[in-house]
Amino acid sequence: MRPTVLTALLALSLTACDKLPTRPKTAFNADSAWSYTQQQVNFGPRVPGTPAAAKAGDWIVAMMKQRADTVIEQRWVHRTAKGDSLPLRNILARFRPQATQRILYVTHWDTRPMADSDPVLGNRNTPILGANDGASGVGLFIALGDALKKTPPNVGVDLLFVDGEDYGASFNPPYVDVLLGSQYFATHLPTPDYKPMYGVLWDMIADKDLNVLQEVRSVNAAPEVVSRVWEKAKELGYSRYFISSVGQDVIDDHVPFIEHGMRVIDVIDYDYGPPAPNGGAEPNYHHTLGDTMEHISKQSLQIVGDVALALITQG
Ligand SMILES: [Zn+2]
Protein backbone atom coordinates (compact mmCIF):
# COMPACT_ATOMS: atom_id res chain seq x y z
CA MET A 1 0.00 0.00 0.00
CA ARG A 2 1.31 3.41 -0.86
CA PRO A 3 -0.03 6.95 -1.14
CA THR A 4 -0.04 8.38 -4.63
CA VAL A 5 -0.22 11.97 -3.54
CA LEU A 6 1.62 13.32 -0.57
CA THR A 7 -0.71 15.63 1.20
CA ALA A 8 -0.04 17.64 4.28
CA LEU A 9 -0.42 15.59 7.41
CA LEU A 10 -2.18 16.95 10.40
CA ALA A 11 0.06 17.65 13.31
CA LEU A 12 -1.77 16.19 16.26
CA SER A 13 -1.07 16.71 19.87
CA LEU A 14 -2.84 14.96 22.68
CA THR A 15 -3.73 16.88 25.77
CA ALA A 16 -3.95 15.65 29.33
CA CYS A 17 -7.70 15.08 29.06
CA ASP A 18 -7.31 12.71 26.11
CA LYS A 19 -7.66 9.54 28.10
CA LEU A 20 -9.20 6.29 27.04
CA PRO A 21 -12.27 5.27 29.01
CA THR A 22 -11.86 2.42 31.46
CA ARG A 23 -15.25 0.82 30.78
CA PRO A 24 -15.41 -1.40 27.67
CA LYS A 25 -17.59 0.02 24.90
CA THR A 26 -18.14 -3.27 23.09
CA ALA A 27 -17.39 -6.95 23.59
CA PHE A 28 -14.20 -6.61 21.55
CA ASN A 29 -11.25 -7.94 23.57
CA ALA A 30 -8.01 -6.14 22.73
CA ASP A 31 -5.94 -8.43 24.98
CA SER A 32 -6.89 -11.29 22.67
CA ALA A 33 -6.34 -9.18 19.55
CA TRP A 34 -2.90 -8.27 20.82
CA SER A 35 -2.05 -11.91 21.51
CA TYR A 36 -3.22 -13.00 18.03
CA THR A 37 -1.14 -10.21 16.49
CA GLN A 38 1.90 -11.35 18.46
CA GLN A 39 1.33 -14.94 17.33
CA GLN A 40 1.33 -13.84 13.67
CA VAL A 41 4.57 -11.93 14.18
CA ASN A 42 6.09 -14.98 15.90
CA PHE A 43 5.87 -16.90 12.62
CA GLY A 44 8.43 -14.45 11.23
CA PRO A 45 7.92 -12.54 7.96
CA ARG A 46 4.88 -13.99 6.12
CA VAL A 47 6.24 -13.65 2.60
CA PRO A 48 4.22 -15.66 0.05
CA GLY A 49 5.90 -18.91 -0.91
CA THR A 50 7.87 -19.26 2.33
CA PRO A 51 7.34 -21.97 5.00
CA ALA A 52 6.49 -19.21 7.53
CA ALA A 53 3.66 -18.01 5.30
CA ALA A 54 2.34 -21.55 4.91
CA LYS A 55 2.33 -22.04 8.69
CA ALA A 56 0.76 -18.65 9.38
CA GLY A 57 -1.95 -19.29 6.78
CA ASP A 58 -2.72 -22.71 8.27
CA TRP A 59 -2.98 -21.10 11.68
CA ILE A 60 -5.43 -18.44 10.47
CA VAL A 61 -7.58 -21.14 8.85
CA ALA A 62 -7.56 -23.21 12.05
CA MET A 63 -8.41 -20.20 14.22
CA MET A 64 -11.27 -19.13 11.97
CA LYS A 65 -12.66 -22.67 11.67
CA GLN A 66 -13.10 -22.56 15.46
CA ARG A 67 -15.02 -19.30 15.21
CA ALA A 68 -16.84 -18.85 11.88
CA ASP A 69 -19.73 -20.84 10.35
CA THR A 70 -17.79 -21.51 7.13
CA VAL A 71 -14.18 -21.00 6.06
CA ILE A 72 -13.33 -20.92 2.36
CA GLU A 73 -9.78 -20.99 1.06
CA GLN A 74 -8.85 -19.71 -2.36
CA ARG A 75 -5.50 -21.00 -3.57
CA TRP A 76 -3.87 -20.07 -6.83
CA VAL A 77 -0.45 -19.51 -8.35
CA HIS A 78 0.57 -16.07 -9.52
CA ARG A 79 3.20 -15.59 -12.18
CA THR A 80 5.37 -12.67 -11.06
CA ALA A 81 6.87 -10.03 -13.33
CA LYS A 82 10.18 -11.89 -13.00
CA GLY A 83 8.51 -15.13 -14.13
CA ASP A 84 8.48 -16.88 -10.75
CA SER A 85 5.51 -18.95 -9.60
CA LEU A 86 4.11 -17.55 -6.38
CA PRO A 87 1.62 -19.68 -4.40
CA LEU A 88 -1.07 -17.52 -2.81
CA ARG A 89 -4.01 -18.08 -0.51
CA ASN A 90 -7.04 -16.01 0.45
CA ILE A 91 -9.02 -17.05 3.51
CA LEU A 92 -12.71 -16.14 3.80
CA ALA A 93 -14.39 -16.69 7.16
CA ARG A 94 -18.16 -16.39 6.92
CA PHE A 95 -20.74 -15.79 9.63
CA ARG A 96 -24.39 -16.51 8.65
CA PRO A 97 -23.36 -17.44 5.11
CA GLN A 98 -26.98 -17.66 3.92
CA ALA A 99 -27.86 -14.08 4.92
CA THR A 100 -28.29 -11.79 1.95
CA GLN A 101 -27.53 -8.60 3.85
CA ARG A 102 -23.79 -8.81 4.39
CA ILE A 103 -20.85 -6.74 5.56
CA LEU A 104 -17.41 -7.49 4.12
CA TYR A 105 -14.25 -6.79 6.09
CA VAL A 106 -10.87 -7.16 4.37
CA THR A 107 -7.33 -7.24 5.69
CA HIS A 108 -4.07 -8.51 4.21
CA TRP A 109 -2.13 -11.21 6.02
CA ASP A 110 1.10 -11.28 3.97
CA THR A 111 4.12 -9.14 4.76
CA ARG A 112 6.47 -7.23 2.52
CA PRO A 113 9.55 -9.16 1.34
CA MET A 114 11.76 -6.09 1.56
CA ALA A 115 12.10 -3.19 4.00
CA ASP A 116 12.49 -0.81 1.09
CA SER A 117 11.76 2.29 3.17
CA ASP A 118 14.22 1.46 5.95
CA PRO A 119 16.52 4.36 6.85
CA VAL A 120 19.47 1.93 6.79
CA LEU A 121 20.37 1.10 3.19
CA GLY A 122 21.75 -2.32 4.14
CA ASN A 123 18.34 -3.36 5.53
CA ARG A 124 16.33 -2.66 2.42
CA ASN A 125 16.37 -6.21 1.05
CA THR A 126 15.38 -7.77 4.38
CA PRO A 127 11.75 -8.90 4.86
CA ILE A 128 9.71 -7.01 7.45
CA LEU A 129 7.93 -8.47 10.50
CA GLY A 130 4.84 -6.41 9.76
CA ALA A 131 3.41 -6.12 13.28
CA ASN A 132 1.22 -3.27 12.05
CA ASP A 133 1.35 -3.90 8.29
CA GLY A 134 0.04 -7.46 8.09
CA ALA A 135 -0.38 -8.80 11.63
CA SER A 136 -2.60 -6.16 13.28
CA GLY A 137 -5.45 -6.78 10.85
CA VAL A 138 -5.21 -10.52 11.49
CA GLY A 139 -5.31 -9.91 15.25
CA LEU A 140 -8.32 -7.64 14.79
CA PHE A 141 -10.20 -10.22 12.70
CA ILE A 142 -9.60 -13.23 14.94
CA ALA A 143 -10.74 -11.20 17.97
CA LEU A 144 -13.82 -10.10 15.98
CA GLY A 145 -14.36 -13.81 15.35
CA ASP A 146 -14.40 -14.41 19.11
CA ALA A 147 -17.12 -11.77 19.59
CA LEU A 148 -19.22 -12.95 16.62
CA LYS A 149 -19.05 -16.56 17.74
CA LYS A 150 -20.25 -15.61 21.21
CA THR A 151 -23.05 -13.37 19.93
CA PRO A 152 -23.96 -14.24 16.33
CA PRO A 153 -24.62 -11.12 14.24
CA ASN A 154 -28.03 -10.17 12.78
CA VAL A 155 -26.41 -9.60 9.38
CA GLY A 156 -24.05 -11.83 7.43
CA VAL A 157 -20.39 -11.04 8.01
CA ASP A 158 -17.45 -12.01 5.81
CA LEU A 159 -13.94 -11.62 7.18
CA LEU A 160 -11.56 -11.85 4.23
CA PHE A 161 -7.82 -12.30 4.74
CA VAL A 162 -6.13 -11.48 1.45
CA ASP A 163 -2.64 -12.59 0.44
CA GLY A 164 -0.01 -10.90 -1.72
CA GLU A 165 -0.91 -7.28 -0.99
CA ASP A 166 2.63 -6.17 -0.40
CA TYR A 167 4.80 -8.40 -2.60
CA GLY A 168 5.85 -6.21 -5.53
CA ALA A 169 7.94 -3.07 -5.72
CA SER A 170 5.42 -0.68 -7.27
CA PHE A 171 1.84 0.12 -6.35
CA ASN A 172 1.05 2.05 -9.48
CA PRO A 173 -1.41 0.65 -12.04
CA PRO A 174 -1.39 -2.01 -13.45
CA TYR A 175 -0.43 -3.14 -9.91
CA VAL A 176 2.51 -5.41 -10.71
CA ASP A 177 2.79 -8.14 -8.04
CA VAL A 178 0.77 -6.15 -5.46
CA LEU A 179 -2.89 -6.28 -4.32
CA LEU A 180 -2.87 -9.87 -5.58
CA GLY A 181 -5.39 -11.38 -3.20
CA SER A 182 -7.88 -8.54 -3.48
CA GLN A 183 -7.65 -8.63 -7.28
CA TYR A 184 -8.18 -12.38 -7.24
CA PHE A 185 -11.15 -12.22 -4.88
CA ALA A 186 -12.82 -9.39 -6.82
CA THR A 187 -12.78 -11.63 -9.90
CA HIS A 188 -13.50 -14.94 -8.08
CA LEU A 189 -16.42 -14.11 -5.80
CA PRO A 190 -17.81 -16.78 -3.45
CA THR A 191 -21.11 -16.69 -5.36
CA PRO A 192 -21.81 -15.04 -8.73
CA ASP A 193 -24.35 -12.67 -7.16
CA TYR A 194 -22.14 -11.79 -4.19
CA LYS A 195 -22.83 -8.20 -3.25
CA PRO A 196 -22.12 -7.04 0.29
CA MET A 197 -23.98 -3.93 1.47
CA TYR A 198 -20.59 -2.38 2.00
CA GLY A 199 -17.04 -3.29 2.83
CA VAL A 200 -14.18 -1.96 4.91
CA LEU A 201 -10.50 -2.68 4.48
CA TRP A 202 -8.60 -2.48 7.77
CA ASP A 203 -4.88 -1.86 7.25
CA MET A 204 -2.16 -0.62 9.64
CA ILE A 205 -4.64 -0.02 12.44
CA ALA A 206 -2.50 -0.49 15.56
CA ASP A 207 -0.05 2.42 15.54
CA LYS A 208 0.57 3.72 19.08
CA ASP A 209 -0.17 7.20 17.78
CA LEU A 210 -3.48 6.35 16.13
CA ASN A 211 -4.80 8.92 13.68
CA VAL A 212 -7.00 7.60 10.92
CA LEU A 213 -7.80 10.17 8.27
CA GLN A 214 -10.38 9.62 5.56
CA GLU A 215 -8.69 8.13 2.50
CA VAL A 216 -9.24 10.02 -0.76
CA ARG A 217 -10.34 7.15 -3.01
CA SER A 218 -12.74 5.86 -0.35
CA VAL A 219 -14.33 9.30 0.01
CA ASN A 220 -14.74 9.55 -3.77
CA ALA A 221 -16.04 6.02 -4.36
CA ALA A 222 -18.20 5.35 -1.28
CA PRO A 223 -18.70 8.53 0.76
CA GLU A 224 -21.70 7.04 2.59
CA VAL A 225 -19.53 4.19 3.88
CA VAL A 226 -16.89 6.64 5.08
CA SER A 227 -19.62 8.62 6.89
CA ARG A 228 -21.01 5.48 8.45
CA VAL A 229 -17.64 4.42 9.87
CA TRP A 230 -16.61 7.88 11.09
CA GLU A 231 -20.05 8.50 12.62
CA LYS A 232 -19.80 5.22 14.51
CA ALA A 233 -16.34 6.20 15.77
CA LYS A 234 -17.76 9.54 16.90
CA GLU A 235 -20.67 7.86 18.70
CA LEU A 236 -18.14 5.75 20.57
CA GLY A 237 -16.16 8.85 21.57
CA TYR A 238 -13.26 8.15 19.23
CA SER A 239 -13.34 11.21 16.98
CA ARG A 240 -9.83 12.22 17.97
CA TYR A 241 -8.56 8.95 16.49
CA PHE A 242 -10.93 8.76 13.51
CA ILE A 243 -10.39 12.30 12.28
CA SER A 244 -13.03 13.85 10.04
CA SER A 245 -10.59 15.21 7.49
CA VAL A 246 -9.52 13.87 4.15
CA GLY A 247 -5.95 12.54 4.18
CA GLN A 248 -3.98 10.79 1.48
CA ASP A 249 -4.84 8.98 -1.71
CA VAL A 250 -3.74 5.41 -1.03
CA ILE A 251 -3.46 2.51 -3.45
CA ASP A 252 -4.52 -0.43 -1.29
CA ASP A 253 -6.67 -3.56 -1.34
CA HIS A 254 -9.91 -1.58 -1.54
CA VAL A 255 -9.04 -0.42 -5.08
CA PRO A 256 -9.77 -3.72 -6.93
CA PHE A 257 -13.12 -3.93 -5.11
CA ILE A 258 -14.03 -0.38 -6.09
CA GLU A 259 -12.98 -1.13 -9.66
CA HIS A 260 -15.40 -4.08 -9.62
CA GLY A 261 -18.32 -1.99 -8.42
CA MET A 262 -18.21 -2.81 -4.71
CA ARG A 263 -18.47 -0.14 -2.05
CA VAL A 264 -15.34 -0.84 -0.05
CA ILE A 265 -13.36 1.82 1.82
CA ASP A 266 -9.88 1.83 3.36
CA VAL A 267 -9.47 2.48 7.07
CA ILE A 268 -5.74 3.08 7.35
CA ASP A 269 -3.41 5.05 9.59
CA TYR A 270 -0.77 5.66 7.02
CA ASP A 271 1.30 7.90 9.28
CA TYR A 272 2.96 5.09 11.29
CA GLY A 273 5.03 6.44 14.15
CA PRO A 274 5.06 9.08 16.87
CA PRO A 275 4.74 12.80 16.13
CA ALA A 276 8.00 14.47 15.12
CA PRO A 277 10.17 15.56 18.03
CA ASN A 278 10.81 19.31 18.19
CA GLY A 279 12.74 20.23 15.10
CA GLY A 280 13.35 16.59 14.20
CA ALA A 281 12.20 14.39 11.36
CA GLU A 282 9.09 12.32 11.91
CA PRO A 283 9.91 8.63 12.28
CA ASN A 284 7.89 6.38 9.98
CA TYR A 285 8.06 2.63 10.50
CA HIS A 286 6.08 1.77 7.38
CA HIS A 287 8.00 -0.77 5.25
CA THR A 288 10.96 -0.70 7.64
CA LEU A 289 12.45 -3.20 10.08
CA GLY A 290 10.90 -0.96 12.76
CA ASP A 291 7.44 -2.40 12.08
CA THR A 292 7.55 -4.43 15.30
CA MET A 293 5.33 -5.08 18.34
CA GLU A 294 6.97 -2.28 20.33
CA HIS A 295 5.54 0.30 17.92
CA ILE A 296 1.95 -0.85 18.04
CA SER A 297 -0.58 -0.56 20.82
CA LYS A 298 -3.30 -2.59 22.47
CA GLN A 299 -5.31 0.59 23.04
CA SER A 300 -5.34 1.27 19.31
CA LEU A 301 -6.54 -2.29 18.69
CA GLN A 302 -9.31 -1.65 21.23
CA ILE A 303 -10.41 1.57 19.51
CA VAL A 304 -10.47 0.08 16.03
CA GLY A 305 -11.97 -3.19 17.30
CA ASP A 306 -14.79 -1.30 19.03
CA VAL A 307 -15.57 0.57 15.81
CA ALA A 308 -15.39 -2.58 13.68
CA LEU A 309 -17.60 -4.60 16.03
CA ALA A 310 -20.11 -1.79 16.68
CA LEU A 311 -20.62 -1.35 12.93
CA ILE A 312 -21.73 -4.98 12.79
CA THR A 313 -23.72 -5.22 16.01
CA GLN A 314 -25.20 -1.72 16.25
CA GLY A 315 -25.76 -1.05 12.53
ZN1 LIG B 1 2.68 -2.59 3.37
Side-chain angles (χ1 to χ4, degrees), residues 29-253:
N29 187 324
D31 290 326
S32 303
W34 176 267
S35 158
Y36 302 142
T37 303
Q38 175 77 70
Q39 288 176 73
Q40 272 291 286
V41 169
N42 288 348
F43 286 108
R46 280 84 68 210
V47 176
T50 63
K55 280 185 200 150
D58 290 347
W59 180 79
I60 293 172
V61 170
M63 295 298 270
M64 294 320 294
K65 279 188 173 167
Q66 292 165 13
R67 290 162 177 77
D69 296 318
T70 314
V71 177
I72 297 170
E73 291 183 67
Q74 293 182 322
R75 289 175 185 261
W76 72 105
V77 175
H78 171 74
R79 179 61 64 102
T80 68
K82 275 191 197 159
D84 297 331
S85 293
L86 195 67
L88 293 166
R89 165 157 62 159
N90 286 340
I91 299 156
L92 177 67
R94 313 196 78 189
F95 296 82
R96 298 194 59 198
Q98 306 304 331
T100 48
Q101 295 212 321
R102 312 197 64 77
I103 297 171
L104 170 66
Y105 283 174
V106 184
T107 197
H108 77 94
W109 69 275
D110 63 303
T111 53
R112 193 157 180 77
M114 61 280 187
D116 48 345
S117 298
D118 200 278
V120 178
L121 268 177
N123 289 342
R124 291 188 183 173
N125 285 325
T126 306
I128 69 166
L129 276 174
N132 197 23
D133 191 4
S136 67
V138 173
L140 171 75
F141 276 23
I142 299 174
L144 283 175
D146 288 332
L148 297 177
K149 184 184 179 185
K150 205 168 167 194
T151 309
N154 290 324
V155 292
V157 176
D158 293 317
L159 302 180
L160 174 63
F161 303 76
V162 289
D163 202 352
E165 185 268 344
D166 235 342
Y167 191 80
S170 168
F171 282 80
N172 294 323
Y175 318 130
V176 178
D177 298 339
V178 294
L179 314 181
L180 296 172
S182 49
Q183 291 187 80
Y184 189 88
F185 187 86
T187 52
H188 299 79
L189 298 172
T191 55
D193 58 348
Y194 182 72
K195 196 170 176 34
M197 294 184 289
Y198 69 91
V200 182
L201 165 65
W202 307 88
D203 193 10
M204 297 176 67
I205 42 81
D207 183 11
K208 268 185 184 163
D209 175 35
L210 187 68
N211 44 83
V212 186
L213 297 172
Q214 298 174 346
E215 188 274 330
V216 169
R217 244 160 243 259
S218 307
V219 172
N220 290 338
E224 81 289 0
V225 183
V226 173
S227 297
R228 181 187 283 253
V229 174
W230 263 255
E231 276 300 311
K232 184 57 71 186
K234 193 176 169 190
E235 276 173 44
L236 292 166
Y238 291 147
S239 42
R240 70 177 65 94
Y241 308 104
F242 280 72
I243 300 149
S244 287
S245 314
V246 179
Q248 302 194 38
D249 179 355
V250 182
I251 301 278
D252 205 351
D253 281 319

